[in-house]
């Protein structure tokens, strides 16, 4: 640095500073107004006032180990974000910013609930709002008002459902909201969620149990509990009153299966259906016989066969004939697809040619399907009163498929249009297994076709009543079965 006397040669009264003297860090001198070296250093040597040095960001350990002092103090992280350390030891995140020319302060919460990383995310979000011309404090205030206003159970339940609907199977998502709309909202939908208690929820569930829907009652309890947990996380509630209600719910009764014959008598049942002649006219007999066979081939419920309509069938003459049942037609309120076997497709083709009615199996009156008793009365006429029901056809098919040990349980349950007992798994599993189910139902149909031929009845002497019936198609899964006719004639040995 040059001495002042060298810079200002006309000022003889300025002392020369030795080059060995310590040099200043300041910028070059301004013209002097004082003759004393102290004045020169104090007035003529000045550092720039607007120089900014980079702000050092906080580290997590600095925040964690910041100790309390007698007075509040701040630890700055930059861009207006700082940690206010109180004399009590509490640590509060604050953001200082300017909006419309005014300095404002925004609170982000306490450390360590709000970590350094979260505080920075909140700062960035606030900066984004400022860039959009919005006041972060005002936006936060409006959001709080909305949370306070959204306190009725139905509003929160719909917000909960909307929050998770994209991750669910569409049919399952619809079933969940339908249950709430049918059984929950009319009872507690308009009630403030913070005022709903356990006895009130139990009374609502009792109403569902009273109509015998015990499974639905348990699912409703699970759904209401999830709504409360969502409300707690959102700040709209503090407790879940459904906790502890499980012991107060009615237990499920033992499953009562519809009457059905053992598989050893199945060939006789099939032949009785093929030979059915119990109705008054040939046309009514043919419709009833086809309805029975179609139900047996497809494993559907009685009502689903009765209301089968011509516009529900696809690709009847193609390689993949399909029966598409809408959710409104199904017990589980979800669309059900039935891959048709060759024999089932033939029945549909025959019925469509035989009638112009909208229903596949028309009743005695035009525009009406067969009655709900047509098929069950046919079973009675064939001699199966209290021994075989139409719904029991499903049990026969399920038993056959499970005993064959060649078909996965998921295929069987999907063919029966059963809902997954594991609700979480069912919510995310949208597999249809169409190809696998088509193969399974075709094997079933081939076996039924052989059983309906005269002289083909048989039984199995294999030590298990619910095993396959006689004269099975050649397939590796039948290896090891000893097949005999009823008179003891040996048909096949392993």
């Amino acid at each position: 640095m040059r001495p002042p006397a060298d810079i200002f040669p006309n000022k003889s009264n300025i002392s020369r500073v030795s080059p060995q003297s310590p040099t200043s860090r300041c910028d070059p001198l301004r013209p002097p107004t004082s003759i004393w070296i102290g004045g020169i250093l104090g007035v003529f040597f000045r550092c720039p006032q607007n120089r900014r040095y980079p702000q050092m960001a906080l580290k997590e350990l600095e925040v964690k180990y910041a100790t309390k002092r007698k007075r509040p103090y701040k630890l700055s992280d930059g861009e207006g974000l700082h940690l206010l350390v109180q004399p009590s030891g509490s640590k509060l995140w604050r953001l200082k910013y300017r909006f419309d020319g005014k300095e404002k302060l925004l609170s982000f919460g306490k450390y360590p609930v709000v970590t350094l990383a979260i505080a920075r995310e909140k700062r960035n979000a606030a900066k984004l709002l400022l860039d959009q011309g919005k006041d972060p404090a005002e936006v936060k205030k409006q959001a709080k008002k909305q949370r306070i206003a959204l306190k009725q159970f139905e509003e929160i339940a719909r917000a909960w459902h909307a929050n998770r609907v994209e991750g669910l199977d569409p049919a399952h998502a619809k079933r969940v909201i339908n249950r709430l709309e049918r059984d929950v909202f009319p009872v507690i939908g308009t009630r403030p969620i913070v005022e709903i208690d356990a006895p009130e929820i139990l009374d609502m569930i009792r109403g569902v149990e009273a109509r015998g829907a015990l499974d639905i009652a348990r699912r409703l309890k699970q759904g209401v509990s999830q709504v409360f947990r969502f409300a707690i996380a959102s700040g709209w509630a503090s407790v879940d009153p459904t906790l502890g209600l499980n012991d107060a719910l009615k237990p499920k009764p033992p499953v009562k299966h519809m009457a059905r014959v053992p598989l050893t008598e199945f060939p006789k049942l099939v032949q009785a259906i093929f030979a059915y002649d119990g109705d008054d006219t040939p046309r009514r007999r043919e419709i009833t016989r086809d309805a029975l066979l179609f139900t047996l081939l497809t494993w559907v419920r009685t009502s689903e066969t009765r209301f089968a309509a011509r516009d529900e069938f696809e690709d009847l003459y193609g390689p993949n004939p399909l029966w598409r049942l809408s959710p409104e037609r199904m017990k589980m309120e979800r669309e059900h697809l039935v891959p048709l076997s060759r024999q089932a497709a033939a029945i549909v083709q025959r019925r469509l040619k035989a009638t112009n009615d909208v229903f596949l199996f028309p009743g005695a009156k035009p525009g009406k399907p067969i009655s709900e008793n047509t098929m069950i009365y046919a079973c009675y006429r064939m001699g199966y009163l209290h021994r075989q029901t139409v719904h029991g056809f499903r049990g026969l098919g399920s038993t056959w498929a499970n005993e064959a040990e060649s078909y996965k349980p998921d295929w069987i349950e999907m063919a029966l249009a059963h809902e997954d007992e594991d609700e979480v798994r069912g919510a995310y599993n949208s597999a249809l297994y169409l190809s696998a189910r088509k193969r399974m139902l075709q094997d079933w149909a081939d076996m039924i076709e052989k059983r309906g031929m005269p002289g083909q009845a048989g039984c199995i002497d294999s030590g298990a009543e619910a095993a396959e019936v006689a004269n099975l198609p050649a397939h590796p899964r039948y290896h090891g079965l000893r097949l005999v006719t009823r008179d003891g004639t040996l048909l096949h040995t392993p």
Side-chain angles (χ1 to χ4, degrees):
M1 179 177 178
R2 295 172 60 193
D6 293 342
I7 299 173
F8 307 107
N10 297 327
K11 300 295 181 178
S12 59
N13 56 352
I14 297 179
S15 301
R16 183 177 296 272
V17 181
S18 170
Q20 283 77 26
S21 300
T23 58
S24 172
R25 294 169 51 193
C26 299
D27 287 341
L29 298 169
R30 296 177 61 187
T33 58
S34 172
I35 62 173
W36 301 103
I37 188 64
I40 294 172
L41 294 177
V43 177
F44 307 119
F45 295 83
R46 68 178 184 87
C47 295
Q49 299 300 314
N50 296 325
R51 177 175 295 176
R52 293 184 177 274
Y53 296 97
Q55 174 68 50
M56 296 297 292
L58 287 175
K59 293 181 173 61
E60 185 67 35
L61 290 178
E62 290 182 85
V63 177
K64 182 177 180 180
Y65 293 111
T67 58
K68 61 183 179 179
R69 301 176 186 174
K70 292 183 179 180
R71 294 183 180 180
Y73 68 96
K74 301 175 183 177
L75 295 176
S76 179
D77 188 58
E79 299 185 64
L81 178 64
H82 61 267
L83 183 74
L84 177 63
V85 184
Q86 300 279 29
S88 62
S90 65
K91 303 170 184 179
L92 311 173
W93 290 108
R94 298 285 189 267
L95 177 68
K96 185 167 66 173
Y97 66 98
R98 297 187 71 84
F99 186 79
D100 282 346
K102 298 179 181 179
E103 186 175 284
K104 293 192 172 186
L105 200 63
L106 186 63
S107 174
F108 289 157
K110 290 184 177 182
Y111 178 88
V113 176
V114 178
T115 63
L116 176 58
I118 294 176
R120 286 171 176 166
E121 290 178 2
K122 290 177 178 287
R123 175 191 61 194
N124 295 338
K127 293 289 185 182
L128 182 61
L129 290 173
L130 287 170
D131 291 342
Q132 298 170 357
K134 299 178 182 179
D135 183 357
E138 189 63 27
V139 172
K140 182 179 179 181
K141 188 184 300 183
Q142 292 299 325
K144 184 177 181 180
K145 287 182 179 179
Q146 290 177 2
R147 287 197 301 271
I148 294 173
L150 187 66
K151 60 182 179 180
Q152 292 185 344
F153 182 86
E154 180 174 349
E155 293 175 301
I156 297 176
R158 291 190 183 279
W160 161 77
H161 187 262
N163 183 61
R164 65 197 294 262
V165 67
E166 291 184 1
L168 300 179
D169 175 72
H172 177 74
K174 186 176 181 181
R175 287 196 300 274
V176 170
I177 195 65
N178 284 347
R179 287 179 202 148
L180 294 174
E181 291 174 342
R182 182 178 61 241
D183 296 313
V184 180
F185 293 163
V187 182
I188 62 174
T190 58
R191 297 272 291 125
I193 194 167
V194 294
E195 298 179 6
I196 299 175
D197 54 18
E200 192 172 0
I201 296 174
L202 185 59
D203 287 343
M204 180 267 296
I205 294 176
R206 290 285 188 241
V208 179
E209 291 178 337
R211 64 174 191 256
L214 302 185
D215 185 63
I216 296 297
R218 289 185 174 273
R219 293 180 185 273
L220 281 178
K221 182 262 173 188
Q222 293 174 2
V224 171
S225 177
Q226 291 176 17
V227 172
F228 270 97
R229 294 202 297 271
F230 175 76
I232 292 171
S234 303
W236 300 320
S238 56
V239 295
D240 177 6
T242 65
L243 297 176
L245 284 184
N246 282 343
D247 293 337
L249 301 182
K250 289 184 178 180
K252 287 184 179 181
V255 177
K256 183 179 180 181
H257 296 289
M258 294 293 183
R260 63 176 183 265
V261 298
L263 279 181
T264 51
E265 297 183 27
F266 183 63
K268 186 177 180 181
L269 171 65
V270 172
Q271 288 196 340
I273 295 174
F274 271 95
Y276 176 73
D277 63 351
D279 282 295
D280 296 334
T281 65
R283 178 175 178 273
R284 299 309 314 164
R285 286 196 292 270
E286 183 180 348
I287 292 175
T288 302
R289 180 171 57 249
D290 280 349
L292 286 169
L293 284 173
F294 186 74
T295 306
L296 183 63
L297 289 167
T298 56
W299 300 2
V300 297
R301 300 175 178 87
T302 302
S303 63
E304 292 155 11
T305 294
R306 287 182 58 222
F307 292 98
R310 61 172 56 239
D311 60 358
E312 293 178 340
F313 296 94
E314 305 171 6
D315 197 27
L316 278 176
Y317 295 92
N320 297 300
L322 186 71
W323 182 19
R324 186 183 299 271
L325 291 94
S326 64
E328 294 75 17
R329 294 250 284 115
M330 299 302 297
K331 178 181 178 181
M332 295 303 175
E333 300 176 350
R334 68 182 178 196
E335 184 181 60
H336 182 49
L337 304 181
V338 182
L340 299 177
S341 62
R342 184 182 67 257
Q343 293 83 347
I347 291 175
V348 177
Q349 295 167 8
R350 182 168 64 249
R351 296 312 323 151
L352 292 179
K353 290 178 180 178
T355 180
N356 291 323
D357 199 281
V358 64
F359 294 108
L360 189 66
F361 304 105
K365 297 180 180 180
K368 298 288 185 180
I370 57 175
S371 75
E372 59 184 4
N373 293 322
T374 297
M375 289 188 284
I376 188 63
Y377 284 174
C379 289
Y380 297 166
R381 295 188 190 103
M382 291 186 296
Y384 287 96
L385 179 65
H386 303 313
R387 297 178 58 221
Q388 178 68 55
T389 64
V390 181
H391 194 88
F393 289 170
R394 292 159 54 82
L396 286 170
S398 175
T399 301
W400 166 83
N402 279 292
E403 290 294 332
E405 298 183 355
S406 295
Y407 313 109
K408 293 182 179 180
D410 281 349
W411 306 352
I412 300 170
E413 293 304 299
M414 184 63 71
L416 294 168
H418 282 168
E419 189 168 24
D420 201 315
E421 292 185 0
D422 184 342
E423 184 163 358
V424 175
R425 179 178 184 270
Y428 295 94
N429 182 22
S430 57
L432 299 177
Y433 311 113
L434 278 176
S435 178
R437 289 195 286 130
K438 178 183 178 181
R439 185 168 65 253
M440 177 176 67
L441 290 177
Q442 187 61 60
D443 289 349
W444 169 251
D446 291 342
M447 184 267 292
I448 289 175
E449 187 175 50
K450 289 182 179 294
R451 300 288 69 70
M453 298 177 184
Q456 294 297 318
C459 62
I460 296 175
D461 182 17
S462 63
E465 176 185 82
E468 183 58 278
V469 293
N471 289 339
L472 296 173
H475 195 283
R477 68 171 176 267
Y478 305 124
H479 179 73
L481 295 179
R482 179 170 177 250
L483 309 182
V484 297
T485 62
R486 291 188 179 277
D487 60 5
T489 303
L490 182 64
L491 297 177
H492 173 72
T493 56

